[in-house]
């Protein structure tokens, strides 16, 4: 003999109202908790920056580099230019930004115009890929991207300078320069008499 199926008794008006009230209260509790968490987070962020300013007189605890460089957060299409086009950005035209290139990577160094514009100590790097000169110190003879004949330490030095520009607080990468292939039959640039192991302190 089959057992009769008991149907659930429909909720009365009072029971239904009580259920709705409980659900509403749970929603309010969840909303209040979320607001409390957001408020706490905002206070923590506020205290973090205020304390940084009071102790280090900066908003970022004295850190200045890639992560505080606003230019790294601006979406931009990578620029690919020729050597001839790169030379236009050597600081002689004040309407154009100043570019330098190192091992094919092009960086905007306009904020360092005092160093890279005409008359600046590093103007010989502006508008060119002078990767070799960065590690030989031959700032006249080695204004070239030709890396043939460099030692492993010198190649590591070039990587060091690439990271310097990549992680700079205001310089930023804009793209690449296209170099024509180097003819292996051409002589390797000779070392200058005043060669040093590395370019002077970065700016």
């Amino acid at each position: 003999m089959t057992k009769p199926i008991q149907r659930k008794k429909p909720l009365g008006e009072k029971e239904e109202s009580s259920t709705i009230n409980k659900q509403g209260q749970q929603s309010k509790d969840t909303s209040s908790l979320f607001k409390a968490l957001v408020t706490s987070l905002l206070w923590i962020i506020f205290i973090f920056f205020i304390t940084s300013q009071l102790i280090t007189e900066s908003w970022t605890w004295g850190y200045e580099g890639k992560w505080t460089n606003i230019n790294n957060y601006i979406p931009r299409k990578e620029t690919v230019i020729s050597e001839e086009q790169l030379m236009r950005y050597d600081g002689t035209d004040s309407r154009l930004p100043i570019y330098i290139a190192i091992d094919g990577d092009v960086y905007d160094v306009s904020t360092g115009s005092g160093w890279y514009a005409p008359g600046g100590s590093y103007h010989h790097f502006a508008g060119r890929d002078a990767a070799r000169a960065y590690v030989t110190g031959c700032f006249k003879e080695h204004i070239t991207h030709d890396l043939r004949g460099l030692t492993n330490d010198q190649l590591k030095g070039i990587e060091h300078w690439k990271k310097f520009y990549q992680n700079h607080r205001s310089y930023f990468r804009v793209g690449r320069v296209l170099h024509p292939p180097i003819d292996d039959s051409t002589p390797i640039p000779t070392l200058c008499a005043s060669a040093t192991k590395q370019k002077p302190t970065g700016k």
Side-chain angles (χ1 to χ4, degrees), residues 69-77 172:
N69 187 347
I70 188 64
N71 292 295
N72 291 323
Y73 300 96
I74 300 174
R76 55 171 58 85
K77 186 177 180 180
F172 58 97

Side-chain angles (χ1 to χ4, degrees), residues 62-81:
Y63 171 79
E64 290 184 335
K66 177 180 180 179
W67 304 112
T68 56
N69 187 347
I70 188 64
N71 292 295
N72 291 323
Y73 300 96
I74 300 174
R76 55 171 58 85
K77 186 177 180 180
E78 180 170 276
T79 299
V80 180
I81 57 179

Side-chain angles (χ1 to χ4, degrees), residues 59-132:
W59 298 108
T60 54
W61 292 93
Y63 171 79
E64 290 184 335
K66 177 180 180 179
W67 304 112
T68 56
N69 187 347
I70 188 64
N71 292 295
N72 291 323
Y73 300 96
I74 300 174
R76 55 171 58 85
K77 186 177 180 180
E78 180 170 276
T79 299
V80 180
I81 57 179
S82 66
E83 291 180 342
E84 291 74 18
Q85 290 172 320
L86 177 61
M87 291 179 68
R88 295 176 55 203
Y89 299 92
D90 65 350
T92 55
D93 187 341
S94 60
R95 297 169 298 178
L96 298 176
I98 303 175
Y99 289 170
I100 64 98
I102 179 167
D103 195 24
D105 290 325
V106 180
Y107 298 91
D108 187 319
V109 296
S110 301
T111 56
S113 59
W115 298 100
Y116 294 96
S121 302
Y122 299 150
H123 176 58
H124 44 266
F125 291 113
R128 305 168 184 237
D129 187 339
R132 192 180 190 90

